[in-house]
């Protein structure tokens, strides 16, 4: 856990009132891709940046104690808003919970861990300045707070489905 110093600029890619990382001034080697991919500032100390003045939020932040959450890479400003400048790529490892196997469970339950960062796949949410919670969708988070997923292996098309044990409707599919 080393200090990271970033330079933020107005989001010229989405052309909204948000901010993106334009330069990493100081930090470990793995964080320099934040500037290359123009990662977007999403949350300042638990509050969603959307519809708020990000300059003001950062001016009121406590130095060295404020948690910032970024999203990346930012989609290009093209006709398809879901098209990325560089296709995102992530590789997960399914870590089976050994205690479930020891108890004789017929299911394969575990966590989906990113091979590069070591973080786990989970559902992200943030509280706003008031009392509301905003669903940010799926993303990487610390593994201690990430949900357990149940693997459902299908014999056709080498298709696997992982469903969140907390909400069976929350599933992700993997196709080879």
């Amino acid at each position: 856990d080393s200090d990271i110093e970033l330079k933020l600029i107005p989001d010229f890619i989405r052309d909204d009132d948000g901010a993106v990382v334009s330069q990493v001034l100081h930090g470990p080697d793995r964080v320099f891709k934040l500037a290359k991919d123009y990662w977007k500032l999403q949350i300042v100390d638990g509050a969603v940046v959307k519809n708020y003045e990000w300059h003001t939020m950062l001016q009121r932040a406590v130095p060295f104690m404020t948690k910032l959450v970024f999203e990346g890479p930012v989609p290009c400003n093209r006709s398809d808003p879901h098209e990325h400048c560089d296709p995102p790529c992530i590789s997960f490892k399914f870590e089976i919970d050994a205690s479930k196997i020891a108890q004789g469970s017929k299911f394969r339950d575990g966590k989906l861990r990113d091979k590069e960062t070591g973080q786990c796949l989970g559902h992200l949410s943030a509280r706003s300045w008031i009392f509301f919670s905003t669903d940010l969708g799926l993303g990487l988070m610390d593994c201690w707070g990430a949900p357990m997923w149940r693997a459902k292996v299908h014999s056709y098309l080498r298709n696997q489905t992982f469903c969140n044990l907390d909400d069976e409707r929350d599933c992700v599919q993997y196709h080879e």
Side-chain angles (χ1 to χ4, degrees):
D1 291 324
S2 64
D3 291 337
I4 299 170
E5 191 176 346
L6 306 171
K7 180 179 179 182
L8 300 175
I9 60 173
D11 188 347
F12 65 95
I13 297 171
R14 285 187 180 152
D15 199 24
D16 60 10
D17 293 328
V20 294
V21 177
S22 69
Q23 188 177 9
V24 176
L25 302 172
H26 172 76
D29 291 340
R30 68 178 189 268
V31 301
F32 279 85
K33 71 178 185 175
L34 275 77
K36 177 186 160 287
D37 293 335
Y38 296 108
W39 282 46
K40 184 166 184 67
L41 178 64
Q42 290 292 332
I43 299 171
V44 175
D45 209 23
V48 179
V49 176
K50 187 175 183 178
N51 299 328
Y52 290 104
E53 178 58 46
W54 62 273
H55 292 97
T56 305
M57 292 176 78
L58 291 175
Q59 287 172 350
R60 294 180 181 165
V62 179
F64 305 105
M65 296 182 69
T66 301
K67 183 177 179 180
L68 304 177
V69 177
F70 294 89
E71 174 189 60
V74 173
C76 289
N77 194 6
R78 297 184 180 155
S79 59
D80 180 4
H82 300 292
E83 185 179 351
H84 287 83
C85 302
D86 296 314
C89 183
I90 194 163
S91 180
F92 288 102
K93 177 181 179 185
F94 185 59
E95 295 181 346
I96 297 173
D97 185 357
S99 66
K100 300 272 185 179
I101 295 172
Q103 296 171 2
S105 174
K106 64 179 180 177
F107 298 109
R108 291 179 14 195
D109 298 340
K111 297 199 178 204
L112 290 166
R113 184 183 296 267
D114 175 23
K115 290 181 180 178
E116 184 179 333
T117 65
Q119 292 187 309
C120 291
L121 182 68
H123 222 72
L124 302 177
S125 63
R127 65 184 191 279
S128 67
W129 284 99
I130 308 174
F131 298 104
F132 301 103
S133 179
T134 303
D135 181 1
L136 300 176
L138 291 173
L140 294 177
M141 61 191 316
D142 291 334
C143 289
W144 64 265
M148 296 289 283
W149 298 85
R150 176 160 291 157
K152 297 178 180 179
V153 181
H154 306 282
S155 60
Y156 57 91
L157 298 177
R158 294 189 304 209
N159 174 25
Q160 294 185 23
T161 303
F162 298 94
C163 292
N164 188 334
L165 290 181
D166 297 332
D167 183 358
E168 287 288 329
R169 299 169 297 159
D170 188 11
C171 297
V172 292
Q173 289 187 328
Y174 166 74
H175 302 279
E176 278 189 53

